[in-house]
Amino acid sequence: MRNDKKKAKKEAEIIAAKDKKYEPKSDSILQTITFFLFPVIVVYGIYVILNGHISPGGGFSGGAIIGAALILYSNAFGFEKTEKFFTEKTYKWISFCALSFYCLAKSYSFYTGAHHLESGIPLGTPGAIISSGLILPLNICVGMVVACTMYAFYALFKKGGL
């Protein structure tokens, strides 16, 4: 048992040393700019997602903006600091919940439409933020999945894993 613990600790140290290789060099200009731009970019991405049903944009566009913000943060501060708030477990849960809701909502919509049933989802009023039935929640789901997937692909290509 003791040998296994020592071996596991040694393997963890090797993985940590390997991860250090992918950490960026400390660049104070990039870190300062990212510190101020990251929240602005994320808020703009949320704005694009939430207004996607009444203006150009939507889930994919807003998710790409948020994904780019995560990549910028990772380039400036490194994977170690990014993984304090965005781990592999977080990625899996966000993707699972968003895709499950999307699947259930669209299945419900198709089922009620195919059987000529009243869906009970209000259609909303044109031009209002809280309107458009299922389009807004589906845009939010698409945005979350796209943001997570963009960052996951970046991490996969940069260091070989999330």
Side-chain angles (χ1 to χ4, degrees), residues 5-154:
K5 287 182 182 179
K6 287 181 181 179
K7 187 177 180 181
K9 185 177 179 182
K10 194 171 201 175
E11 287 175 2
E13 289 173 0
I14 291 170
I15 291 171
K18 196 175 183 184
D19 282 349
K20 289 273 188 201
K21 183 172 85 170
Y22 299 109
E23 293 296 318
K25 305 294 184 257
S26 182
D27 186 359
S28 61
I29 295 172
L30 179 63
Q31 289 177 349
T32 304
I33 291 171
T34 301
F35 179 77
F36 291 110
L37 278 182
F38 179 74
V40 174
I41 295 171
V42 170
V43 168
Y44 180 66
I46 292 169
Y47 168 78
V48 170
I49 290 172
L50 293 180
N51 286 312
H53 62 286
I54 56 176
S55 67
F60 189 85
S61 304
I65 292 168
I66 295 172
L70 286 170
I71 291 170
L72 173 67
Y73 190 87
S74 179
N75 275 327
F77 296 107
F79 286 108
E80 190 174 314
K81 193 166 182 182
T82 307
E83 287 173 354
K84 288 183 180 177
F85 65 89
F86 193 78
T87 62
E88 185 176 355
K89 187 176 181 180
T90 307
Y91 163 75
K92 287 179 181 179
W93 272 105
I94 289 173
S95 296
F96 172 75
C97 292
L99 291 173
S100 296
F101 178 80
Y102 194 97
C103 177
L104 291 172
K106 290 307 284 182
S107 297
Y108 174 75
S109 165
F110 290 148
Y111 179 79
T112 57
H115 295 290
H116 305 289
L117 299 172
E118 182 66 33
S119 69
I121 300 170
L123 298 177
T125 56
I129 285 286
I130 307 297
S131 66
S132 72
L134 283 176
I135 295 175
L136 179 61
L138 295 179
N139 269 343
I140 293 169
C141 291
V142 169
M144 291 190 309
V145 170
V146 169
C148 289
T149 304
M150 275 188 64
Y151 178 74
F153 276 137
Y154 169 75

